[in-house]
Amino acid sequence: MALPQKLVFVLCLIGLVFSQDMANEELMVQIQACPKECSCPQNFPRAVYCDNRGLKSIPKIPPYTWYLYLQNNLIETLPLDALKNATQLRWVNLNRNKITDKGIEGFLSAMTHLAHLYMDDNLLSSVPSPLPASLEHLRLSRNRISKIPAGVFVGLEKLNLLDLQGNKLMDDAVTEVSLKGLNNLVQINLAKNQLSRMPLGLPPTTTQLFLDGNNIEKIPADYFKGLPKMAFLRLNNNKLGSSGVPRDVFNISSILDLQLSHNQLTEIPIIPSGLEHLYLDHNKITSVNGSKMCPVSVDSLDNSQNESVPRLRFLRLDGNEINPPIPRDVIMCFRLLRSIVI
């Protein structure tokens, strides 16, 4: 199918920007040094594509490469000299290889410009160390990681996204000591690990916390006091019962999206005024009481002009033991609701 004319024009402009970003001499060196196992598009001379080639080792990468794609290969080791000429790397994708802890050998510390590192679906048992201080995104999902070395994140002041989902982390691996240094973290994904309690040591900058598919049974009453920016919280598929969830634990002004599906809750917790999306499906809730759910007095709400009107727009309650219809006081409280699934 032919690309729309405008899109072709935009792609050409992007390619022109990439080309003009390099001196002619550098451009020629980059193209001539392209490994035979890879492809190096002339319109994107800083990108080298070595993915899906059945490679067992990393070929010699051209010196002016910024973006390196090595996913879907059979690479086991990353020797120290593998990228000795490619000192300008910003983005490296090593997903779906066979890399182990022993196969790294300090490989990462030499990449002083690296901002994005993807190593999902490998054979790592520990978070790699040392990591470059320039790192912004680190993705290590679906490995065999059970250990986060103490101090591994110290000095990583730019790191704002850490993805560790689908590993073998237990409570003693996720601590204030192991997470020390994540001073500007925004998103952390610890879903599908082996946690039985809420992780300790998260920095106050944390905005998105994903904990789906663990074994968490309890949330401490003051857990979110040190997390003033928490906006997106996912706790689906855990073992949370109402006795382990204080009714007002989520009553924090910053939270926008709260997901508690597939747990063992029998009651609906207090819904903060600013919350917009709430997922409570597939629990053991038997009734809905508007006066208990509402964060403010229904009698105090007048017209929709009132700024105190709760912001809830989406509510999911299916998979419980609730019989419709939804009580009138729920509708009176949450006047901005656009969708209720029951």
Side-chain angles (χ1 to χ4, degrees):
M1 185 177 69
L3 291 171
Q5 192 171 10
K6 287 185 177 179
L7 180 56
V8 172
F9 177 69
V10 170
L11 289 175
C12 288
L13 280 179
I14 293 173
L16 184 61
V17 169
F18 268 81
S19 297
Q20 290 181 343
D21 182 49
M22 302 174 67
N24 289 336
E25 183 179 345
E26 293 179 352
L27 179 59
M28 290 304 297
V29 170
Q30 185 75 357
I31 294 172
Q32 291 174 1
C34 184
K36 65 180 186 302
E37 303 94 332
C38 309
S39 62
C40 307
Q42 293 190 25
N43 285 342
F44 302 92
R46 290 195 181 276
V48 176
Y49 294 87
C50 307
D51 51 313
N52 298 285
R53 311 295 168 108
L55 298 176
K56 293 186 177 180
S57 60
I58 300 176
K60 188 177 180 180
I61 303 302
Y64 303 108
T65 305
W66 282 12
Y67 309 96
L68 177 58
Y69 299 90
L70 288 160
Q71 67 269 30
N72 296 309
N73 281 297
L74 303 170
I75 298 169
E76 297 181 9
T77 61
L78 308 174
L80 280 170
D81 62 346
L83 300 175
K84 64 180 180 180
N85 293 325
T87 58
Q88 300 182 21
L89 280 169
R90 266 72 167 172
W91 184 304
V92 174
N93 190 329
L94 284 159
N95 292 345
R96 292 179 292 282
N97 277 283
K98 297 181 180 297
I99 302 165
T100 63
D101 299 329
K102 292 182 180 179
I104 295 179
E105 298 180 358
F107 167 88
L108 301 171
S109 59
M111 293 188 275
T112 56
H113 298 287
L114 191 66
H116 296 259
L117 176 61
Y118 298 164
M119 295 185 72
D120 299 335
D121 299 287
N122 277 280
L123 304 175
L124 299 172
S125 61
S126 177
V127 173
S129 176
L131 293 165
S134 54
L135 212 55
E136 297 176 14
H137 289 186
L138 177 60
R139 296 185 181 273
L140 300 169
S141 64
R142 295 177 299 279
N143 277 272
R144 302 173 180 178
I145 296 173
S146 60
K147 180 181 178 182
I148 304 175
V152 68
F153 301 120
V154 172
L156 273 61
E157 296 295 329
K158 296 181 179 180
L159 191 67
N160 59 69
L161 183 149
L162 177 60
D163 187 351
L164 288 165
Q165 68 166 316
N167 281 287
K168 297 184 177 182
L169 291 167
M170 301 181 72
D171 297 327
D172 58 356
V174 185
T175 65
E176 295 182 19
V177 174
S178 64
L179 298 182
K180 186 177 181 180
L182 294 172
N183 299 327
N184 291 294
L185 190 71
V186 174
Q187 181 189 115
I188 183 168
N189 191 339
L190 293 165
K192 298 181 181 178
N193 276 279
Q194 299 172 18
L195 301 176
S196 62
R197 66 184 184 215
M198 300 294 286
L200 302 175
L202 296 179
T205 54
T206 306
T207 303
Q208 303 174 35
L209 174 60
F210 304 145
L211 293 166
D212 312 76
N214 280 284
N215 300 307
I216 298 171
E217 299 179 359
K218 180 180 179 182
I219 304 176
D222 60 350
Y223 184 78
F224 296 103
K225 284 186 178 179
L227 299 169
K229 296 186 177 182
M230 182 61 62
F232 301 91
L233 177 62
R234 292 199 329 223
L235 279 158
N236 303 320
N237 292 285
N238 276 280
K239 297 180 179 180
L240 290 168
S242 290
S243 61
V245 180
R247 287 201 68 243
D248 63 345
V249 71
F250 302 118
N251 196 16
I252 48 179
S253 59
S254 60
I255 196 161
L256 299 174
D257 188 288
L258 176 59
Q259 300 188 22
L260 298 166
S261 305
H262 294 274
N263 277 283
Q264 301 168 19
L265 298 172
T266 55
E267 297 181 6
I268 298 176
I270 293 176
I271 300 174
S273 293
L275 189 68
E276 297 184 1
H277 300 93
L278 177 60
Y279 297 77
L280 290 166
D281 55 287
H282 298 91
N283 277 276
K284 297 180 179 180
I285 300 168
T286 57
S287 63
V288 181
N289 186 317
S291 61
K292 288 185 178 181
M293 289 171 58
C294 196
V296 296
S297 170
V298 175
D299 296 335
S300 69
L301 299 173
D302 44 31
N303 297 326
S304 58
Q305 303 293 330
N306 193 328
E307 293 183 1
S308 65
V309 172
R311 313 305 297 176
L312 194 66
R313 288 169 166 76
F314 177 86
L315 175 61
R316 185 170 175 182
L317 290 166
D318 55 304
N320 284 285
E321 301 170 20
I322 303 169
N323 295 317
I326 293 292
R328 184 174 179 273
D329 55 0
V330 174
I331 307 301
M332 291 297 295
C333 174
F334 302 105
R335 300 181 184 185
L336 301 180
L337 264 173
R338 295 293 177 265
S339 178
I340 304 178
V341 183
I342 189 172

